[in-house]
Amino acid sequence: MTKKFIVNQMAATAKFNRSRRNLMLGMAGLAGTPTLVMAQNSESKKNTNTLWYRQPASCWEEALPIGNGRLGAMVFGRVGQERLQLNEDTLWAGASYTPDNPDARAALPEVRRLITEGKFKEATDLAGTYMMGKPLKLMPYGSLGDVLLTLNGAVQPAKYERQLDLATAINTTTYQTADGALVRETFVSVPDQVIVMHMTAEQARLSLELAYRSPRKVKYPSSDYQGADGLIKQAAVDWLKTELADELSAGSSMAAEGKDAVLITGSNEPGPDGKSGLRYALRIKLLTDGKLALSKGGMTVSNASTVTLLIAAATSYVNYHDVSGDPVALVRRQTEQAVTKPYEVLKTEHIRAHQALFNNMSINLGSTAQAAHPTDIRIAAAETADDPALSALYVQYARYLMISSSRPGTQPANLQGIWNEGTNPPWGSKYTININTQMNYWPADPAGLGACVEPLLRLVEDLAVTGAKTARTMYNASGWVTHHNTDLWRAASPNDGPRWGLWPCGGAWLCNSVWDHYDYSRDADVLARLFPVMLGASRFFLDTLIEDPKGRGLVTSPSLSPENSHPFGTSLCAGPAMDRQIVRDLFKNTVEAARLLKQETDLTVRIAKTLPRIAIDQIGKAGQLQEWLDDWDTQAPDQHHRHVSHLYAVYPSSQINVRDTPDLLQAAKNSLRQRGDLATGWGTAWRICLWARMGDGDHAHSILKALTGPRRTYPNMFDAHPPFQIDGNFGGSAGVLEMLLQSWGGEVFLLPALPTAWPSGEVKGMCARGGLIVDMQWRGGKLVSAILQGQPGAAVRADYRGVKMDVSLDAKGMHRLKLPA
């Protein structure tokens, strides 16, 4: 970088500061070159929305995530060699494909007959032969590899801190050596679509070597964390750890571009058929006041006081049937446009874009001395220590992860959001739609992040197209269907095997999830997009529901209660409770959408007439809510199964609730007690939501402490399934919000399950169904203030501890509730 360029950058920065003077004054301390203040003297630990640590990450589960919805990175904060592990949300394996199996149509009647006759194993074998998709496995999400920055002359620092500020979405690493202080700031910009790392040295000088490591297979989790006691262990600290940049993978290449950039190109991993349908490009632009040289393996910098990396990445993916994009042209344009802005501008515009969403909601559950400790220390003590601020941080971290992994125009958050280390992720890091993808979006609307649901709506719209082919080919049915998994290519057929994959309600549940999004926002445009999709899903079930031979009503067949085996050696069955509950919601929501849009037709009348014919929920002889149509629960081989599918009717639905169905609710409680409190990360999170919905805040809170402790949370606060799955983060945060505010059945419930552990607190910007925003304060376990905001004149029924309050919002769309003494 020339002196002339530095002068131009300084002049541009000065001009920007003058033109944005008021904004910059308001954001003092956020923008600009990092203040070189060491950890022990900084204010970072006092920021309630910050994760911070006194040592670098020794493995992936300690690194900190950053993202802009499309691009993601894991920042390790290492001293000897910084590592940025990269992801791009369309870099999946394989190519566009249609795995529908035409043999399924002929096999379907026989599979149904075998199920009716109780020949479940024979039905499973037949379905496995003729009714599964080809290929059987879907395509996995991938990785974009690693940028490795080896810092020459690195020594163990005297003082060290790394942190992730959730409010600014900036990762900062600061440390002190005998030569001076060094600071790195890293973020992923939404406005500029680049990863930015800015390094500064005070007195000390920066010398480094930049290398790139191609996507590769890795071990999950990357460290042997979990001991015999089930606790996650902190990895040993290696202050000067370095890793080798391997040879570029086959089909990849690296080339210098000008004097200050490198371009890496390659192809995605092949699918089972050997096809690679995507090209990817990664461009790294480096700016420095030191000496910069390009080499065969990357770039070297010496004698610098500042180094800035601008990293852009893209693939040729346009949509699930179009891969004609030009990723090379895109990454060149993005990096060259970003370089025209001073670092101050990049940073400030990034913060503005992030805070437009993050600042929608705040939460304070109180604080204790635990809050002063580093985040990993707090997590290690979470099961036994009193740390209400950790629960609030957990919610804000989930909101941060949502903003960083799902924005309008991006792919939806997958099993790992957008953060995945290797090309062989657990469960393919796909969209698992028998609970996990839906759980990802449970907190979005209540937490003021409805905008982040847009990618889910587009996923459903895509599946309505591919799933229509699946419905015709495999079921001879109209409408559309998808099963328990899908991927970037929108595969809709059954996969993995009949015991897991032959479940036809994935698309219906997705429709219900997006209906919930509409119900929170009451956005007419969302409803207009959603209605034809819901109508198509309903058509499929009108064609495929069958009469139970024992006269109990309409049921699905073949199907299963997700991933749980019944007593007869398989999972395949007819009419499990979850299916009946999901289809019941789908039909009800479709009829309501038609009414709102004034599009009632003979078809919607038929849906309405079919709705009450669906088999009802049953209470078994042990007093439990039956998971299956028959009373098999107490004989099932896994009495503590991670899925609690038959409790869908309690949460996220509200068919069974404390107000209207006391007997069924008691049966649901009996089932949940039998299942136990601790399951996989997401299974534990679902239990929190269920106990909260059932009004037992203390029980929900006790499970929350287990979820946020060292059995189910890694040091970087990622959920430990194990290994990492992001749904536990989202589901657990939804459980916290559910303890504070619920909206179902035409009412808004204030502090419906407040645990005794949070006697005082405050939330602002929480959302409820009906387009409502709710601010609340409570002291000594009692609500002291509640303000409702929404459409002017809107009628609201609020409930606080059984006291009903019917109010109308004023001309400004506000109402301060008069609370009972």
Side-chain angles (χ1 to χ4, degrees):
M1 182 155 74
T2 64
K3 291 183 178 178
K4 181 179 179 181
F5 182 87
I6 297 170
V7 170
N8 288 341
Q9 284 281 83
M10 293 173 64
T13 300
K15 180 179 179 181
F16 172 80
N17 286 342
R18 288 193 299 270
S19 65
R20 297 286 195 273
R21 183 175 181 273
N22 292 336
L23 172 66
M24 296 298 288
L25 287 173
M27 301 183 69
L30 294 182
T33 301
T35 303
L36 300 177
V37 180
M38 291 303 100
Q40 284 76 2
N41 296 322
S42 73
E43 292 297 313
S44 64
K45 296 186 288 296
K46 297 178 182 177
N47 184 341
T48 57
N49 292 324
T50 298
L51 280 65
W52 70 279
Y53 306 82
R54 289 196 176 115
Q55 69 286 328
S58 296
C59 57
W60 196 86
E61 292 79 11
E62 295 176 8
L64 294 171
I66 55 175
N68 68 355
R70 185 182 69 85
L71 290 176
M74 296 293 286
V75 185
F76 284 66
R78 299 195 304 211
V79 175
Q81 181 192 67
E82 180 60 285
R83 176 185 172 194
L84 294 179
Q85 185 272 307
L86 307 178
N87 291 101
E88 202 273 355
D89 72 347
T90 62
L91 186 55
W92 293 58
S96 182
Y97 71 114
T98 303
D100 300 338
N101 186 346
D103 295 336
R105 184 187 295 190
L108 177 61
E110 180 64 9
V111 171
R112 283 175 171 166
R113 183 187 69 79
L114 290 169
I115 290 173
T116 298
E117 294 177 359
K119 298 176 180 179
F120 300 106
K121 185 180 184 305
E122 292 88 342
T124 301
D125 292 343
L126 186 64
T129 302
Y130 295 108
M131 293 196 69
M132 302 311 297
K134 296 181 178 180
L136 188 61
K137 298 291 185 180
L138 302 190
M139 303 302 113
Y141 183 50
S143 168
L144 198 56
D146 302 273
V147 172
L148 301 173
L149 299 167
T150 303
L151 296 139
N152 298 330
V155 296
Q156 181 170 334
K159 297 177 181 178
Y160 177 95
E161 181 186 298
R162 64 187 174 103
Q163 68 172 34
L164 176 62
D165 186 339
L166 307 180
T168 62
I170 295 177
N171 175 286
T172 304
T173 301
T174 63
Y175 58 93
Q176 181 82 48
T177 70
D179 295 328
L182 298 97
V183 177
R184 296 183 213 131
E185 287 187 330
T186 313
F187 57 87
V188 190
S189 169
V190 170
D192 294 288
Q193 290 296 308
V194 291
I195 300 169
V196 181
M197 174 177 275
H198 185 62
M199 294 174 275
T200 59
E202 183 182 89
Q203 298 175 345
R205 308 299 287 176
L206 290 166
S207 294
L208 59 86
E209 299 174 8
L210 182 150
Y212 173 73
R213 180 167 62 191
S214 296
R216 62 201 172 102
K217 291 184 177 180
V218 300
K219 176 184 176 182
Y220 291 92
S222 63
S223 179
D224 291 321
Y225 263 104
Q226 211 133 13
D229 57 3
L231 299 181
I232 294 168
K233 310 295 185 183
Q234 186 84 35
V237 177
D238 183 352
W239 287 96
L240 303 181
K241 180 177 181 178
T242 59
E243 301 176 51
L244 295 176
D246 304 326
E247 293 291 324
L248 292 176
S249 59
S252 299
S253 65
M254 177 187 288
E257 296 212 327
K259 297 180 180 180
D260 58 4
V262 293
L263 177 71
I264 299 105
T265 57
S267 299
N268 66 330
E269 292 288 308
D273 57 2
K275 294 181 180 178
S276 297
L278 291 171
R279 294 167 290 113
Y280 69 83
L282 174 73
R283 192 169 193 259
I284 307 170
K285 184 93 169 177
L286 193 152
L287 311 174
T288 182
D289 61 353
K291 183 178 179 181
L292 171 62
L294 273 65
S295 63
K296 180 181 179 181
M299 293 184 269
T300 62
V301 175
S302 59
N303 197 32
S305 63
T306 66
V307 176
T308 302
L309 301 182
L310 303 174
I311 304 172
T315 76
S316 58
Y317 183 88
V318 177
N319 56 50
Y320 66 91
H321 54 81
D322 183 351
V323 293
S324 64
D326 186 346
V328 172
L330 183 58
V331 297
R332 282 175 176 156
R333 182 169 69 249
Q334 288 168 339
T335 48
E336 293 306 316
Q337 287 177 348
V339 80
T340 64
K341 298 181 180 181
Y343 174 70
E344 315 286 356
V345 180
L346 292 170
K347 180 178 177 180
T348 302
E349 291 181 349
H350 154 74
I351 292 171
R352 183 189 298 115
H354 175 72
Q355 291 185 341
L357 291 173
F358 188 83
N359 287 355
N360 287 347
M361 196 201 94
S362 63
I363 179 170
N364 180 355
L365 301 176
S367 186
T368 66
Q370 281 296 114
H373 294 300
T375 305
D376 51 337
I377 304 301
R378 296 172 70 184
I379 291 169
E383 291 196 41
T384 56
D386 182 19
D387 191 358
L390 184 65
S391 299
L393 181 65
Y394 197 82
V395 171
Q396 292 290 37
Y397 187 51
R399 296 182 71 245
Y400 167 86
L401 295 174
M402 175 62 66
I403 295 167
S404 302
S405 65
S406 182
R407 277 178 169 268
T410 73
Q411 295 299 306
N414 62 47
L415 282 176
Q416 297 181 190
I418 53 171
W419 300 279
N420 169 50
E421 189 176 13
T423 58
N424 57 325
W427 304 282
S429 193
K430 300 186 292 290
Y431 302 110
T432 299
I433 53 177
N434 65 9
I435 173 62
N436 312 89
T437 300
Q438 290 89 342
M439 182 180 285
N440 281 359
Y441 289 90
W442 283 356
D445 284 293
L449 298 178
C452 296
V453 184
E454 189 274 342
L456 187 68
L457 175 56
R458 277 188 293 105
L459 172 69
V460 178
E461 290 174 322
D462 287 350
L463 287 169
V465 178
T466 59
K469 297 176 183 176
T470 304
R472 287 194 302 272
T473 302
M474 299 187 67
Y475 292 89
N476 193 27
S478 60
W480 68 277
V481 65
T482 191
H483 295 78
H484 91 300
N485 271 325
T486 189
D487 56 20
L488 181 74
W489 309 107
R490 306 318 191 226
S493 63
N495 56 81
D496 288 347
R499 295 181 61 161
W500 305 274
L502 199 51
W503 181 68
C505 291
W509 192 354
L510 287 173
C511 285
N512 294 342
S513 294
V514 185
W515 169 267
D516 286 342
H517 169 58
Y518 159 74
D519 205 16
Y520 273 88
S521 67
R522 300 293 169 93
D523 185 329
D525 292 337
V526 169
L527 184 61
R529 289 176 61 183
L530 178 59
F531 177 61
V533 174
M534 296 168 63
L535 198 63
S538 296
R539 280 180 184 271
F540 173 80
F541 288 103
L542 288 178
D543 284 359
T544 57
L545 289 174
I546 63 171
E547 289 283 354
D548 169 56
K550 296 181 181 178
R552 290 170 291 190
L554 294 175
V555 296
T556 52
S557 182
S559 191
L560 51 93
S561 188
E563 303 186 28
N564 195 13
S565 295
H566 54 61
F568 305 103
T570 183
S571 61
L572 226 57
C573 65
M578 178 181 242
D579 286 21
R580 293 179 273 121
Q581 295 162 4
I582 287 174
V583 176
R584 196 177 292 126
D585 271 350
L586 173 67
F587 281 7
K588 176 178 66 70
N589 297 338
T590 303
V591 170
E592 176 64 8
R595 185 189 68 80
L596 292 169
L597 292 169
K598 299 187 182 341
Q599 295 188 31
E600 289 138 318
T601 63
D602 290 344
L603 178 61
T604 60
V605 170
R606 184 182 167 203
I607 294 169
K609 289 181 178 180
T610 305
L611 173 59
R613 296 173 56 203
I614 297 170
I616 64 173
D617 291 315
Q618 301 280 353
I619 298 175
K621 60 180 177 293
Q624 89 288 0
L625 187 70
Q626 287 182 194
E627 184 164 359
W628 295 276
L629 196 60
D630 292 294
D631 193 357
W632 296 339
D633 297 62
T634 58
Q635 306 168 57
D638 187 353
Q639 291 293 303
H640 305 289
H641 199 267
R642 60 194 178 276
H643 284 261
V644 283
S645 302
H646 52 314
L647 304 188
Y648 164 93
V650 179
Y651 185 96
S653 183
S654 59
Q655 295 173 35
I656 297 174
N657 62 70
V658 296
R659 185 189 66 193
D660 304 318
T661 57
D663 292 342
L664 288 172
L665 187 77
Q666 183 58 52
K669 289 181 179 180
N670 293 341
S671 292
L672 195 52
R673 289 192 183 98
Q674 176 59 42
R675 276 292 209 269
D677 289 344
L678 189 66
T680 57
W682 63 262
T684 304
W686 197 354
R687 286 154 171 81
I688 297 169
C689 294
L690 286 163
W691 283 114
R693 178 60 65 86
M694 293 189 291
D696 194 338
D698 285 338
H699 197 156
H701 181 262
S702 70
I703 305 173
L704 176 67
K705 287 178 73 66
L707 180 67
T708 56
R711 285 185 286 177
R712 288 295 176 266
T713 296
Y714 290 115
N716 64 359
M717 207 175 267
F718 270 170
D719 172 71
H721 179 286
F724 164 54
Q725 261 186 218
I726 203 166
D727 38 31
N729 289 99
F730 292 134
S733 65
V736 173
L737 300 177
E738 193 73 11
M739 293 184 226
L740 303 177
L741 183 70
Q742 297 176 17
S743 55
W744 49 266
E747 296 187 41
V748 177
F749 299 87
L750 310 174
L751 302 183
L754 182 69
T756 54
W758 305 335
S760 299
E762 180 179 18
V763 290
K764 292 183 178 180
M766 278 193 68
C767 295
R769 296 172 191 272
L772 294 174
I773 299 173
V774 182
D775 298 345
M776 294 186 294
Q777 293 182 353
W778 63 96
R779 299 287 180 268
K782 294 183 179 181
L783 191 63
V784 297
S785 174
I787 300 173
L788 309 178
Q789 300 176 63
Q791 285 292 325
V796 180
R797 167 166 281 195
D799 178 291
Y800 174 58
R801 296 183 175 177
V803 177
K804 309 294 183 182
M805 294 166 277
D806 291 306
V807 301
S808 294
L809 304 189
D810 64 20
K812 295 182 179 179
M814 296 185 67
H815 184 88
R816 182 183 293 272
L817 287 174
K818 274 189 171 182
L819 299 171

